[in-house]
Amino acid sequence: MTVKEVLRAHITDHRAHNTDQGNASAEKQGEDRHAPSAAPAATVAAGRASQELGIRRAEFELAVHLGLIAVVGAPGGGRPRVHEEEIARLREQPDFPDALVERVRTVGTAQGAALLDIAPARFTRLARAGCVSPVTFYLNRYRAVVWLYLADELAAFAAREPELLAGRTPPGMRAMLESGADWRARNWRSQRIDRLLDRTTDPWVRTAVQASALDPVQLAEVVDDPYERAYLVRVRPEPVFGRPGSMAAREAMAELMLADDPDEILWRRVNLTLELDAAREDRPAPRPGDDGGARRTAPTRTGARPGPVRQVPAVESTTPPAGTGAPPPAAVGRTTRKGLLARLRWHGRGTG
């Protein structure tokens, strides 16, 4: 089976799953519309929700990012809000709020190393090799990026790969580290993109998510229509909460979001090309003079629905495949009759 066939099979399975979820959601909405006295559910602002849940605002925002707390768009725009029913659901869970706080607890390198009972230098090597993935970051007083990791995911890694916590580093990993590899930013990007894709089924929004990992030159090579590029900028989802406030933090976020290694850039171009094909099949991007019908956009899901929450394992979802430098497959669209590699116009920039 060719790489293209493998990708298409993966896409078909993923889209079938999304379609099933979308149909179930549509049926539920239809039932709600036919309810005899359906009143709008009461919502509260994020600050009020975090207070009622008894967690700090940073913990609340990370829980939203991870899909542990569902939020809804405010009427007429504005900051997302939380249904009171969602707050009640969370408060009814066992060990509330300690269990929720533990699921969003983050640690830095020193704390992570202590949690795994290893030296900080070994923890850094494991993170650089892609064994553990950061979930967020902050800038220290020297404006250097400090990565943070979910404590839950580190504990799961220790239980799953105890042999990597002691003894000699495996030869393959040692060679990888000696070559200067560092998967921390790449894994952070991969998880961020996957979580944004999980929130929407709209093909143009999904394309915009994939486009966010490429710089303007790379993007123009894949999406050669300027109207489509402008539309991708308009529909690109922003973080629900937790947008960096300072100029330095925004600049760091903008830099970290871009793929910076040739094989990662190629992989993101493949994903973007396939998602773009699916978006074009669904509807054309609006152009000057188009009516509002061309601008229809499927609603995005901005959080988890009540029920079991799917955790995203750090290693299983983002650890580099053995013998390759490519990131894990993200959800992608369908191909067209044109040759995929020809459409990518990839010349191995930066490969020497």
Side-chain angles (χ1 to χ4, degrees), residues 11 207 210-211 214 218-219 221-223 265-280 332-336 338-345:
I11 294 159
T207 304
Q210 297 289 359
L214 295 175
Q218 297 282 349
L219 178 59
E221 290 181 354
V222 179
V223 187
I265 293 172
L266 176 58
W267 186 253
R268 290 302 166 197
R269 287 171 66 116
V270 170
N271 288 339
L272 173 59
T273 300
L274 299 175
E275 287 286 6
L276 181 62
D277 288 342
R280 286 169 172 169
V332 290
R334 289 166 290 182
T335 59
T336 62
K338 297 181 181 180
L340 177 61
L341 293 179
R343 294 188 59 214
L344 287 172
R345 303 172 187 172

PDB file of all heavy atoms in Angstrom, residues 11 207 210-211 214 218-219 221-223 265-280 332-336 338-345:
ATOM      1  N   ILE A  11      -7.823   9.016   6.623  1.00  0.00           N
ATOM      2  CA  ILE A  11      -8.760  10.136   6.503  1.00  0.00           C
ATOM      3  C   ILE A  11     -10.192   9.631   6.515  1.00  0.00           C
ATOM      4  O   ILE A  11     -11.075  10.177   7.181  1.00  0.00           O
ATOM      5  CB  ILE A  11      -8.495  10.904   5.190  1.00  0.00           C
ATOM      6  CG1 ILE A  11      -7.117  11.560   5.252  1.00  0.00           C
ATOM      7  CG2 ILE A  11      -9.561  11.948   4.920  1.00  0.00           C
ATOM      8  CD1 ILE A  11      -6.581  11.893   3.894  1.00  0.00           C
ATOM      9  N   THR A 207      -8.900  23.344   7.499  1.00  0.00           N
ATOM     10  CA  THR A 207      -7.801  23.757   6.627  1.00  0.00           C
ATOM     11  C   THR A 207      -7.024  24.899   7.257  1.00  0.00           C
ATOM     12  O   THR A 207      -5.783  24.932   7.198  1.00  0.00           O
ATOM     13  CB  THR A 207      -8.352  24.193   5.258  1.00  0.00           C
ATOM     14  OG1 THR A 207      -9.120  23.127   4.691  1.00  0.00           O
ATOM     15  CG2 THR A 207      -7.230  24.548   4.300  1.00  0.00           C
ATOM     16  N   GLN A 210      -4.601  23.606   9.865  1.00  0.00           N
ATOM     17  CA  GLN A 210      -3.390  23.053   9.255  1.00  0.00           C
ATOM     18  C   GLN A 210      -2.499  24.168   8.722  1.00  0.00           C
ATOM     19  O   GLN A 210      -1.265  24.102   8.819  1.00  0.00           O
ATOM     20  CB  GLN A 210      -3.756  22.090   8.133  1.00  0.00           C
ATOM     21  CG  GLN A 210      -4.543  20.867   8.554  1.00  0.00           C
ATOM     22  CD  GLN A 210      -3.709  19.875   9.350  1.00  0.00           C
ATOM     23  OE1 GLN A 210      -2.517  20.077   9.591  1.00  0.00           O
ATOM     24  NE2 GLN A 210      -4.329  18.777   9.756  1.00  0.00           N
ATOM     25  N   ALA A 211      -3.103  25.216   8.149  1.00  0.00           N
ATOM     26  CA  ALA A 211      -2.329  26.317   7.578  1.00  0.00           C
ATOM     27  C   ALA A 211      -1.562  27.092   8.641  1.00  0.00           C
ATOM     28  O   ALA A 211      -0.540  27.718   8.340  1.00  0.00           O
ATOM     29  CB  ALA A 211      -3.258  27.262   6.815  1.00  0.00           C
ATOM     30  N   LEU A 214       2.335  26.757   8.935  1.00  0.00           N
ATOM     31  CA  LEU A 214       3.230  27.103   7.825  1.00  0.00           C
ATOM     32  C   LEU A 214       3.405  28.610   7.734  1.00  0.00           C
ATOM     33  O   LEU A 214       2.451  29.375   7.956  1.00  0.00           O
ATOM     34  CB  LEU A 214       2.671  26.568   6.507  1.00  0.00           C
ATOM     35  CG  LEU A 214       2.587  25.046   6.379  1.00  0.00           C
ATOM     36  CD1 LEU A 214       1.904  24.661   5.073  1.00  0.00           C
ATOM     37  CD2 LEU A 214       3.968  24.412   6.470  1.00  0.00           C
ATOM     38  N   GLN A 218       5.486  29.303   2.584  1.00  0.00           N
ATOM     39  CA  GLN A 218       5.063  27.917   2.441  1.00  0.00           C
ATOM     40  C   GLN A 218       3.560  27.842   2.151  1.00  0.00           C
ATOM     41  O   GLN A 218       3.111  27.057   1.319  1.00  0.00           O
ATOM     42  CB  GLN A 218       5.371  27.134   3.719  1.00  0.00           C
ATOM     43  CG  GLN A 218       6.844  27.031   4.058  1.00  0.00           C
ATOM     44  CD  GLN A 218       7.549  25.991   3.224  1.00  0.00           C
ATOM     45  OE1 GLN A 218       6.915  25.210   2.527  1.00  0.00           O
ATOM     46  NE2 GLN A 218       8.874  25.976   3.292  1.00  0.00           N
ATOM     47  N   LEU A 219       2.779  28.666   2.834  1.00  0.00           N
ATOM     48  CA  LEU A 219       1.339  28.653   2.657  1.00  0.00           C
ATOM     49  C   LEU A 219       0.961  29.043   1.233  1.00  0.00           C
ATOM     50  O   LEU A 219       0.092  28.419   0.608  1.00  0.00           O
ATOM     51  CB  LEU A 219       0.686  29.604   3.662  1.00  0.00           C
ATOM     52  CG  LEU A 219      -0.834  29.753   3.585  1.00  0.00           C
ATOM     53  CD1 LEU A 219      -1.512  28.405   3.794  1.00  0.00           C
ATOM     54  CD2 LEU A 219      -1.323  30.766   4.606  1.00  0.00           C
ATOM     55  N   GLU A 221       2.628  28.650  -1.437  1.00  0.00           N
ATOM     56  CA  GLU A 221       3.003  27.606  -2.389  1.00  0.00           C
ATOM     57  C   GLU A 221       1.945  26.508  -2.450  1.00  0.00           C
ATOM     58  O   GLU A 221       1.756  25.884  -3.490  1.00  0.00           O
ATOM     59  CB  GLU A 221       4.362  27.011  -2.019  1.00  0.00           C
ATOM     60  CG  GLU A 221       5.529  27.972  -2.255  1.00  0.00           C
ATOM     61  CD  GLU A 221       6.858  27.340  -1.908  1.00  0.00           C
ATOM     62  OE1 GLU A 221       6.853  26.201  -1.381  1.00  0.00           O
ATOM     63  OE2 GLU A 221       7.897  27.964  -2.150  1.00  0.00           O
ATOM     64  N   VAL A 222       1.281  26.258  -1.327  1.00  0.00           N
ATOM     65  CA  VAL A 222       0.253  25.211  -1.300  1.00  0.00           C
ATOM     66  C   VAL A 222      -1.111  25.786  -1.670  1.00  0.00           C
ATOM     67  O   VAL A 222      -1.853  25.190  -2.456  1.00  0.00           O
ATOM     68  CB  VAL A 222       0.195  24.548   0.090  1.00  0.00           C
ATOM     69  CG1 VAL A 222      -0.888  23.470   0.121  1.00  0.00           C
ATOM     70  CG2 VAL A 222       1.549  23.938   0.447  1.00  0.00           C
ATOM     71  N   VAL A 223      -1.452  26.937  -1.104  1.00  0.00           N
ATOM     72  CA  VAL A 223      -2.744  27.589  -1.377  1.00  0.00           C
ATOM     73  C   VAL A 223      -2.445  28.795  -2.263  1.00  0.00           C
ATOM     74  O   VAL A 223      -2.159  29.890  -1.772  1.00  0.00           O
ATOM     75  CB  VAL A 223      -3.440  28.029  -0.071  1.00  0.00           C
ATOM     76  CG1 VAL A 223      -4.837  28.548  -0.354  1.00  0.00           C
ATOM     77  CG2 VAL A 223      -3.489  26.878   0.925  1.00  0.00           C
ATOM     78  N   ILE A 265       7.736  20.284   7.971  1.00  0.00           N
ATOM     79  CA  ILE A 265       7.113  21.193   7.001  1.00  0.00           C
ATOM     80  C   ILE A 265       6.446  20.395   5.892  1.00  0.00           C
ATOM     81  O   ILE A 265       5.308  20.679   5.497  1.00  0.00           O
ATOM     82  CB  ILE A 265       8.162  22.161   6.423  1.00  0.00           C
ATOM     83  CG1 ILE A 265       8.647  23.115   7.506  1.00  0.00           C
ATOM     84  CG2 ILE A 265       7.579  22.948   5.251  1.00  0.00           C
ATOM     85  CD1 ILE A 265       9.820  23.979   7.079  1.00  0.00           C
ATOM     86  N   LEU A 266       7.136  19.374   5.396  1.00  0.00           N
ATOM     87  CA  LEU A 266       6.548  18.548   4.339  1.00  0.00           C
ATOM     88  C   LEU A 266       5.274  17.871   4.821  1.00  0.00           C
ATOM     89  O   LEU A 266       4.264  17.827   4.112  1.00  0.00           O
ATOM     90  CB  LEU A 266       7.562  17.500   3.869  1.00  0.00           C
ATOM     91  CG  LEU A 266       7.053  16.494   2.830  1.00  0.00           C
ATOM     92  CD1 LEU A 266       6.543  17.204   1.584  1.00  0.00           C
ATOM     93  CD2 LEU A 266       8.140  15.484   2.476  1.00  0.00           C
ATOM     94  N   TRP A 267       5.317  17.337   6.034  1.00  0.00           N
ATOM     95  CA  TRP A 267       4.137  16.656   6.569  1.00  0.00           C
ATOM     96  C   TRP A 267       2.961  17.621   6.711  1.00  0.00           C
ATOM     97  O   TRP A 267       1.824  17.285   6.392  1.00  0.00           O
ATOM     98  CB  TRP A 267       4.474  16.029   7.921  1.00  0.00           C
ATOM     99  CG  TRP A 267       3.370  15.196   8.473  1.00  0.00           C
ATOM    100  CD1 TRP A 267       2.554  15.501   9.512  1.00  0.00           C
ATOM    101  CD2 TRP A 267       2.936  13.919   7.998  1.00  0.00           C
ATOM    102  NE1 TRP A 267       1.643  14.495   9.718  1.00  0.00           N
ATOM    103  CE2 TRP A 267       1.852  13.515   8.810  1.00  0.00           C
ATOM    104  CE3 TRP A 267       3.373  13.091   6.975  1.00  0.00           C
ATOM    105  CZ2 TRP A 267       1.206  12.307   8.618  1.00  0.00           C
ATOM    106  CZ3 TRP A 267       2.709  11.881   6.780  1.00  0.00           C
ATOM    107  CH2 TRP A 267       1.642  11.497   7.591  1.00  0.00           C
ATOM    108  N   ARG A 268       3.222  18.821   7.185  1.00  0.00           N
ATOM    109  CA  ARG A 268       2.148  19.804   7.320  1.00  0.00           C
ATOM    110  C   ARG A 268       1.620  20.235   5.955  1.00  0.00           C
ATOM    111  O   ARG A 268       0.430  20.508   5.801  1.00  0.00           O
ATOM    112  CB  ARG A 268       2.643  21.014   8.119  1.00  0.00           C
ATOM    113  CG  ARG A 268       2.882  20.715   9.591  1.00  0.00           C
ATOM    114  CD  ARG A 268       1.621  20.208  10.249  1.00  0.00           C
ATOM    115  NE  ARG A 268       1.879  19.605  11.565  1.00  0.00           N
ATOM    116  CZ  ARG A 268       1.036  18.824  12.192  1.00  0.00           C
ATOM    117  NH1 ARG A 268      -0.132  18.533  11.636  1.00  0.00           N
ATOM    118  NH2 ARG A 268       1.324  18.306  13.362  1.00  0.00           N
ATOM    119  N   ARG A 269       2.478  20.306   4.964  1.00  0.00           N
ATOM    120  CA  ARG A 269       2.023  20.636   3.612  1.00  0.00           C
ATOM    121  C   ARG A 269       1.115  19.530   3.065  1.00  0.00           C
ATOM    122  O   ARG A 269       0.124  19.799   2.387  1.00  0.00           O
ATOM    123  CB  ARG A 269       3.231  20.853   2.696  1.00  0.00           C
ATOM    124  CG  ARG A 269       3.975  22.155   2.956  1.00  0.00           C
ATOM    125  CD  ARG A 269       5.276  22.222   2.184  1.00  0.00           C
ATOM    126  NE  ARG A 269       5.066  22.285   0.754  1.00  0.00           N
ATOM    127  CZ  ARG A 269       5.413  23.317  -0.013  1.00  0.00           C
ATOM    128  NH1 ARG A 269       5.978  24.392   0.539  1.00  0.00           N
ATOM    129  NH2 ARG A 269       5.208  23.294  -1.316  1.00  0.00           N
ATOM    130  N   VAL A 270       1.460  18.285   3.343  1.00  0.00           N
ATOM    131  CA  VAL A 270       0.607  17.169   2.922  1.00  0.00           C
ATOM    132  C   VAL A 270      -0.776  17.297   3.573  1.00  0.00           C
ATOM    133  O   VAL A 270      -1.818  17.206   2.913  1.00  0.00           O
ATOM    134  CB  VAL A 270       1.255  15.813   3.295  1.00  0.00           C
ATOM    135  CG1 VAL A 270       0.265  14.671   3.095  1.00  0.00           C
ATOM    136  CG2 VAL A 270       2.504  15.574   2.453  1.00  0.00           C
ATOM    137  N   ASN A 271      -0.787  17.507   4.902  1.00  0.00           N
ATOM    138  CA  ASN A 271      -2.062  17.637   5.610  1.00  0.00           C
ATOM    139  C   ASN A 271      -2.881  18.809   5.084  1.00  0.00           C
ATOM    140  O   ASN A 271      -4.103  18.706   4.904  1.00  0.00           O
ATOM    141  CB  ASN A 271      -1.808  17.826   7.116  1.00  0.00           C
ATOM    142  CG  ASN A 271      -1.315  16.562   7.774  1.00  0.00           C
ATOM    143  OD1 ASN A 271      -1.501  15.467   7.260  1.00  0.00           O
ATOM    144  ND2 ASN A 271      -0.674  16.702   8.926  1.00  0.00           N
ATOM    145  N   LEU A 272      -2.208  19.935   4.848  1.00  0.00           N
ATOM    146  CA  LEU A 272      -2.907  21.115   4.341  1.00  0.00           C
ATOM    147  C   LEU A 272      -3.477  20.851   2.960  1.00  0.00           C
ATOM    148  O   LEU A 272      -4.618  21.228   2.665  1.00  0.00           O
ATOM    149  CB  LEU A 272      -1.946  22.307   4.309  1.00  0.00           C
ATOM    150  CG  LEU A 272      -2.481  23.583   3.654  1.00  0.00           C
ATOM    151  CD1 LEU A 272      -3.737  24.070   4.363  1.00  0.00           C
ATOM    152  CD2 LEU A 272      -1.414  24.669   3.652  1.00  0.00           C
ATOM    153  N   THR A 273      -2.718  20.213   2.101  1.00  0.00           N
ATOM    154  CA  THR A 273      -3.185  19.939   0.741  1.00  0.00           C
ATOM    155  C   THR A 273      -4.440  19.072   0.757  1.00  0.00           C
ATOM    156  O   THR A 273      -5.412  19.336   0.038  1.00  0.00           O
ATOM    157  CB  THR A 273      -2.082  19.241  -0.074  1.00  0.00           C
ATOM    158  OG1 THR A 273      -0.943  20.100  -0.138  1.00  0.00           O
ATOM    159  CG2 THR A 273      -2.549  18.934  -1.486  1.00  0.00           C
ATOM    160  N   LEU A 274      -4.461  18.052   1.578  1.00  0.00           N
ATOM    161  CA  LEU A 274      -5.593  17.145   1.622  1.00  0.00           C
ATOM    162  C   LEU A 274      -6.820  17.810   2.259  1.00  0.00           C
ATOM    163  O   LEU A 274      -7.951  17.619   1.799  1.00  0.00           O
ATOM    164  CB  LEU A 274      -5.209  15.872   2.379  1.00  0.00           C
ATOM    165  CG  LEU A 274      -4.059  15.074   1.736  1.00  0.00           C
ATOM    166  CD1 LEU A 274      -3.671  13.895   2.607  1.00  0.00           C
ATOM    167  CD2 LEU A 274      -4.438  14.613   0.346  1.00  0.00           C
ATOM    168  N   GLU A 275      -6.604  18.586   3.317  1.00  0.00           N
ATOM    169  CA  GLU A 275      -7.727  19.305   3.912  1.00  0.00           C
ATOM    170  C   GLU A 275      -8.282  20.343   2.932  1.00  0.00           C
ATOM    171  O   GLU A 275      -9.494  20.558   2.865  1.00  0.00           O
ATOM    172  CB  GLU A 275      -7.290  20.000   5.205  1.00  0.00           C
ATOM    173  CG  GLU A 275      -7.058  19.069   6.381  1.00  0.00           C
ATOM    174  CD  GLU A 275      -8.358  18.547   6.991  1.00  0.00           C
ATOM    175  OE1 GLU A 275      -9.442  18.816   6.427  1.00  0.00           O
ATOM    176  OE2 GLU A 275      -8.290  17.871   8.023  1.00  0.00           O
ATOM    177  N   LEU A 276      -7.403  20.989   2.178  1.00  0.00           N
ATOM    178  CA  LEU A 276      -7.843  21.985   1.204  1.00  0.00           C
ATOM    179  C   LEU A 276      -8.713  21.352   0.129  1.00  0.00           C
ATOM    180  O   LEU A 276      -9.715  21.932  -0.305  1.00  0.00           O
ATOM    181  CB  LEU A 276      -6.625  22.674   0.584  1.00  0.00           C
ATOM    182  CG  LEU A 276      -6.910  23.764  -0.454  1.00  0.00           C
ATOM    183  CD1 LEU A 276      -7.688  24.914   0.177  1.00  0.00           C
ATOM    184  CD2 LEU A 276      -5.594  24.277  -1.042  1.00  0.00           C
ATOM    185  N   ASP A 277      -8.346  20.159  -0.322  1.00  0.00           N
ATOM    186  CA  ASP A 277      -9.170  19.453  -1.308  1.00  0.00           C
ATOM    187  C   ASP A 277     -10.580  19.218  -0.767  1.00  0.00           C
ATOM    188  O   ASP A 277     -11.577  19.411  -1.471  1.00  0.00           O
ATOM    189  CB  ASP A 277      -8.526  18.112  -1.668  1.00  0.00           C
ATOM    190  CG  ASP A 277      -7.283  18.279  -2.529  1.00  0.00           C
ATOM    191  OD1 ASP A 277      -7.123  19.357  -3.123  1.00  0.00           O
ATOM    192  OD2 ASP A 277      -6.479  17.340  -2.596  1.00  0.00           O
ATOM    193  N   ALA A 278     -10.666  18.783   0.496  1.00  0.00           N
ATOM    194  CA  ALA A 278     -11.973  18.520   1.098  1.00  0.00           C
ATOM    195  C   ALA A 278     -12.775  19.811   1.221  1.00  0.00           C
ATOM    196  O   ALA A 278     -13.994  19.822   1.006  1.00  0.00           O
ATOM    197  CB  ALA A 278     -11.798  17.870   2.468  1.00  0.00           C
ATOM    198  N   ALA A 279     -12.112  20.919   1.586  1.00  0.00           N
ATOM    199  CA  ALA A 279     -12.814  22.192   1.726  1.00  0.00           C
ATOM    200  C   ALA A 279     -13.348  22.672   0.384  1.00  0.00           C
ATOM    201  O   ALA A 279     -14.478  23.165   0.281  1.00  0.00           O
ATOM    202  CB  ALA A 279     -11.877  23.236   2.335  1.00  0.00           C
ATOM    203  N   ARG A 280     -12.552  22.546  -0.663  1.00  0.00           N
ATOM    204  CA  ARG A 280     -12.995  22.977  -1.994  1.00  0.00           C
ATOM    205  C   ARG A 280     -14.170  22.144  -2.483  1.00  0.00           C
ATOM    206  O   ARG A 280     -15.048  22.652  -3.176  1.00  0.00           O
ATOM    207  CB  ARG A 280     -11.829  22.887  -2.975  1.00  0.00           C
ATOM    208  CG  ARG A 280     -10.785  23.988  -2.786  1.00  0.00           C
ATOM    209  CD  ARG A 280      -9.540  23.712  -3.581  1.00  0.00           C
ATOM    210  NE  ARG A 280      -8.603  24.831  -3.565  1.00  0.00           N
ATOM    211  CZ  ARG A 280      -7.358  24.759  -4.003  1.00  0.00           C
ATOM    212  NH1 ARG A 280      -6.881  23.608  -4.488  1.00  0.00           N
ATOM    213  NH2 ARG A 280      -6.563  25.832  -3.955  1.00  0.00           N
ATOM    214  N   VAL A 332      -6.775  14.509   8.190  1.00  0.00           N
ATOM    215  CA  VAL A 332      -6.591  15.215   6.942  1.00  0.00           C
ATOM    216  C   VAL A 332      -7.739  14.934   6.017  1.00  0.00           C
ATOM    217  O   VAL A 332      -8.554  14.055   6.226  1.00  0.00           O
ATOM    218  CB  VAL A 332      -5.255  14.803   6.267  1.00  0.00           C
ATOM    219  CG1 VAL A 332      -4.075  15.327   7.040  1.00  0.00           C
ATOM    220  CG2 VAL A 332      -5.141  13.296   6.151  1.00  0.00           C
ATOM    221  N   GLY A 333      -7.790  15.699   4.918  1.00  0.00           N
ATOM    222  CA  GLY A 333      -8.887  15.595   3.978  1.00  0.00           C
ATOM    223  C   GLY A 333      -8.616  14.608   2.885  1.00  0.00           C
ATOM    224  O   GLY A 333      -7.713  13.798   2.952  1.00  0.00           O
ATOM    225  N   ARG A 334      -9.376  14.675   1.797  1.00  0.00           N
ATOM    226  CA  ARG A 334      -9.256  13.720   0.710  1.00  0.00           C
ATOM    227  C   ARG A 334      -8.407  14.286  -0.414  1.00  0.00           C
ATOM    228  O   ARG A 334      -8.302  15.482  -0.603  1.00  0.00           O
ATOM    229  CB  ARG A 334     -10.653  13.376   0.187  1.00  0.00           C
ATOM    230  CG  ARG A 334     -11.454  12.543   1.158  1.00  0.00           C
ATOM    231  CD  ARG A 334     -12.907  12.519   0.750  1.00  0.00           C
ATOM    232  NE  ARG A 334     -13.504  13.833   0.972  1.00  0.00           N
ATOM    233  CZ  ARG A 334     -14.781  14.094   0.732  1.00  0.00           C
ATOM    234  NH1 ARG A 334     -15.556  13.179   0.220  1.00  0.00           N
ATOM    235  NH2 ARG A 334     -15.271  15.297   0.979  1.00  0.00           N
ATOM    236  N   THR A 335      -7.814  13.416  -1.205  1.00  0.00           N
ATOM    237  CA  THR A 335      -6.977  13.843  -2.302  1.00  0.00           C
ATOM    238  C   THR A 335      -7.812  14.050  -3.543  1.00  0.00           C
ATOM    239  O   THR A 335      -8.938  13.600  -3.647  1.00  0.00           O
ATOM    240  CB  THR A 335      -5.896  12.782  -2.607  1.00  0.00           C
ATOM    241  OG1 THR A 335      -6.542  11.561  -2.938  1.00  0.00           O
ATOM    242  CG2 THR A 335      -4.991  12.567  -1.418  1.00  0.00           C
ATOM    243  N   THR A 336      -7.240  14.744  -4.521  1.00  0.00           N
ATOM    244  CA  THR A 336      -7.871  14.918  -5.812  1.00  0.00           C
ATOM    245  C   THR A 336      -7.133  14.078  -6.825  1.00  0.00           C
ATOM    246  O   THR A 336      -6.217  13.331  -6.504  1.00  0.00           O
ATOM    247  CB  THR A 336      -7.823  16.394  -6.237  1.00  0.00           C
ATOM    248  OG1 THR A 336      -6.459  16.777  -6.367  1.00  0.00           O
ATOM    249  CG2 THR A 336      -8.502  17.283  -5.207  1.00  0.00           C
ATOM    250  N   LYS A 338      -5.144  15.117  -9.083  1.00  0.00           N
ATOM    251  CA  LYS A 338      -3.793  15.596  -9.337  1.00  0.00           C
ATOM    252  C   LYS A 338      -2.798  14.867  -8.444  1.00  0.00           C
ATOM    253  O   LYS A 338      -3.095  14.463  -7.336  1.00  0.00           O
ATOM    254  CB  LYS A 338      -3.712  17.102  -9.079  1.00  0.00           C
ATOM    255  CG  LYS A 338      -4.602  17.925  -9.999  1.00  0.00           C
ATOM    256  CD  LYS A 338      -4.444  19.401  -9.691  1.00  0.00           C
ATOM    257  CE  LYS A 338      -5.341  20.243 -10.588  1.00  0.00           C
ATOM    258  NZ  LYS A 338      -5.208  21.685 -10.293  1.00  0.00           N
ATOM    259  N   GLY A 339      -1.569  14.727  -8.929  1.00  0.00           N
ATOM    260  CA  GLY A 339      -0.542  14.090  -8.123  1.00  0.00           C
ATOM    261  C   GLY A 339      -0.268  14.887  -6.873  1.00  0.00           C
ATOM    262  O   GLY A 339      -0.046  16.098  -6.918  1.00  0.00           O
ATOM    263  N   LEU A 340      -0.258  14.212  -5.715  1.00  0.00           N
ATOM    264  CA  LEU A 340      -0.108  14.899  -4.448  1.00  0.00           C
ATOM    265  C   LEU A 340       1.238  15.594  -4.349  1.00  0.00           C
ATOM    266  O   LEU A 340       1.334  16.772  -4.014  1.00  0.00           O
ATOM    267  CB  LEU A 340      -0.287  13.898  -3.304  1.00  0.00           C
ATOM    268  CG  LEU A 340      -0.094  14.452  -1.891  1.00  0.00           C
ATOM    269  CD1 LEU A 340      -1.109  15.542  -1.623  1.00  0.00           C
ATOM    270  CD2 LEU A 340      -0.234  13.335  -0.877  1.00  0.00           C
ATOM    271  N   LEU A 341       2.318  14.881  -4.631  1.00  0.00           N
ATOM    272  CA  LEU A 341       3.641  15.472  -4.490  1.00  0.00           C
ATOM    273  C   LEU A 341       3.841  16.618  -5.470  1.00  0.00           C
ATOM    274  O   LEU A 341       4.504  17.615  -5.153  1.00  0.00           O
ATOM    275  CB  LEU A 341       4.719  14.400  -4.685  1.00  0.00           C
ATOM    276  CG  LEU A 341       4.759  13.324  -3.598  1.00  0.00           C
ATOM    277  CD1 LEU A 341       5.850  12.320  -3.907  1.00  0.00           C
ATOM    278  CD2 LEU A 341       4.992  13.955  -2.236  1.00  0.00           C
ATOM    279  N   ALA A 342       3.262  16.485  -6.670  1.00  0.00           N
ATOM    280  CA  ALA A 342       3.384  17.574  -7.636  1.00  0.00           C
ATOM    281  C   ALA A 342       2.685  18.828  -7.129  1.00  0.00           C
ATOM    282  O   ALA A 342       3.182  19.941  -7.286  1.00  0.00           O
ATOM    283  CB  ALA A 342       2.794  17.147  -8.982  1.00  0.00           C
ATOM    284  N   ARG A 343       1.532  18.648  -6.494  1.00  0.00           N
ATOM    285  CA  ARG A 343       0.795  19.792  -5.984  1.00  0.00           C
ATOM    286  C   ARG A 343       1.484  20.427  -4.792  1.00  0.00           C
ATOM    287  O   ARG A 343       1.323  21.616  -4.520  1.00  0.00           O
ATOM    288  CB  ARG A 343      -0.624  19.381  -5.585  1.00  0.00           C
ATOM    289  CG  ARG A 343      -1.478  18.937  -6.764  1.00  0.00           C
ATOM    290  CD  ARG A 343      -2.905  18.738  -6.338  1.00  0.00           C
ATOM    291  NE  ARG A 343      -3.443  19.972  -5.800  1.00  0.00           N
ATOM    292  CZ  ARG A 343      -4.317  20.031  -4.815  1.00  0.00           C
ATOM    293  NH1 ARG A 343      -4.739  18.916  -4.250  1.00  0.00           N
ATOM    294  NH2 ARG A 343      -4.772  21.181  -4.380  1.00  0.00           N
ATOM    295  N   LEU A 344       2.260  19.634  -4.046  1.00  0.00           N
ATOM    296  CA  LEU A 344       2.959  20.193  -2.899  1.00  0.00           C
ATOM    297  C   LEU A 344       4.063  21.150  -3.325  1.00  0.00           C
ATOM    298  O   LEU A 344       4.458  22.046  -2.582  1.00  0.00           O
ATOM    299  CB  LEU A 344       3.567  19.072  -2.052  1.00  0.00           C
ATOM    300  CG  LEU A 344       2.572  18.247  -1.239  1.00  0.00           C
ATOM    301  CD1 LEU A 344       3.271  17.076  -0.615  1.00  0.00           C
ATOM    302  CD2 LEU A 344       1.880  19.082  -0.196  1.00  0.00           C
ATOM    303  N   ARG A 345       4.609  20.943  -4.513  1.00  0.00           N
ATOM    304  CA  ARG A 345       5.703  21.790  -5.027  1.00  0.00           C
ATOM    305  C   ARG A 345       6.846  21.849  -4.032  1.00  0.00           C
ATOM    306  O   ARG A 345       7.410  22.897  -3.742  1.00  0.00           O
ATOM    307  CB  ARG A 345       5.177  23.195  -5.329  1.00  0.00           C
ATOM    308  CG  ARG A 345       4.016  23.219  -6.310  1.00  0.00           C
ATOM    309  CD  ARG A 345       3.429  24.601  -6.405  1.00  0.00           C
ATOM    310  NE  ARG A 345       2.213  24.590  -7.217  1.00  0.00           N
ATOM    311  CZ  ARG A 345       1.411  25.632  -7.332  1.00  0.00           C
ATOM    312  NH1 ARG A 345       1.680  26.757  -6.718  1.00  0.00           N
ATOM    313  NH2 ARG A 345       0.318  25.566  -8.080  1.00  0.00           N
TER     314      ARG A 345
END
